[in-house]
Amino acid sequence: MRVVIAEDNALLREGLVLLLTSAGHEVVAAATTGPEILPALRQHRPDAAVLDVRMPPDFRDEGLRAALTARKELPGLPVLVLSQYVEESYAAELLAGGASGLGYLLKDRVGRVDEFLDALERVAAGGTALDPEVVTELLTRRRDSPLDSHTPRERQVLSLMAEGQDNATIAEALVVTERAVHKHIGNVFLKLGLPQSDSGHRRVLAVLTYLNNS
């Protein structure tokens, strides 16, 4: 996998390069400031991009803005965004444009090598990978929401779906059968006005439906 990374912290940047190359991936560019990101993405057209939300010169939302622009200029570009903290408005804005091939993780996850690499590979394959803390913030930010009619168990299932987990993993996490998970997912889709299907596209739509009505 060819990857472009954007991280201003030299230690973390070099750590990402080492981690990705050790896993058999190729880091084709490593941006250190916000203005460097888009030129690198345009030039290399990578299989995936790993971008920090806040980058020099202003340390505000340079990485996020680059990600939003890149997703418009290079449709389908898989992007995994890293953030020091849960920044709810940033995550919501990024996801509102479509969550296919998109991830939002806290930087702490990078230290959990297997989790980070698994998330990047899911995103590169067109899936979604949202940090559990990000999901919790997004799914509870409004009392008056389409989730009001969902049971606590259905909310748990939706949260795990948003993280990118498959039915077997959800069943294991909740200590229930896959058949029970399938039923809960069907109920989630029904209450959100989506067809009852376990396809990856509709799993993403289940999360986006909430975000677009928040």
Side-chain angles (χ1 to χ4, degrees), residues 2 27 36 42 44 54 102-103 123 127 158 193 201:
R2 299 171 64 255
V27 177
E36 295 175 10
R42 290 168 180 150
H44 296 284
R54 300 189 181 198
L102 189 63
V123 168
L158 181 52
H201 180 61

Side-chain angles (χ1 to χ4, degrees), residues 186-203:
N187 289 336
V188 167
F189 290 155
L190 181 63
K191 292 177 181 179
L192 291 179
L194 300 171
Q196 294 192 41
S197 168
D198 280 356
S199 72
H201 180 61
R202 288 176 173 79
R203 295 171 85 92

Side-chain angles (χ1 to χ4, degrees), residues 54-126:
R54 300 189 181 198
M55 296 282 291
D58 298 322
F59 293 98
R60 298 182 66 182
D61 59 0
E62 291 83 355
L64 175 75
R65 294 297 154 205
L68 291 171
T69 301
R71 298 267 292 180
K72 291 178 181 177
E73 291 188 12
L74 305 171
L77 172 68
V79 175
L80 178 58
V81 172
L82 301 179
S83 179
Q84 188 68 43
Y85 309 103
V86 177
E87 302 186 74
E88 176 188 308
S89 60
Y90 290 168
E93 184 173 1
L94 191 63
L95 289 166
S100 177
L102 189 63
Y104 190 110
L105 296 181
L106 295 183
K107 287 187 176 181
D108 287 347
R109 300 287 168 185
V110 177
R112 304 175 189 180
V113 175
D114 290 341
E115 287 185 27
F116 172 72
L117 291 175
D118 179 64
L120 179 60
E121 289 168 4
R122 284 208 309 272
V123 168

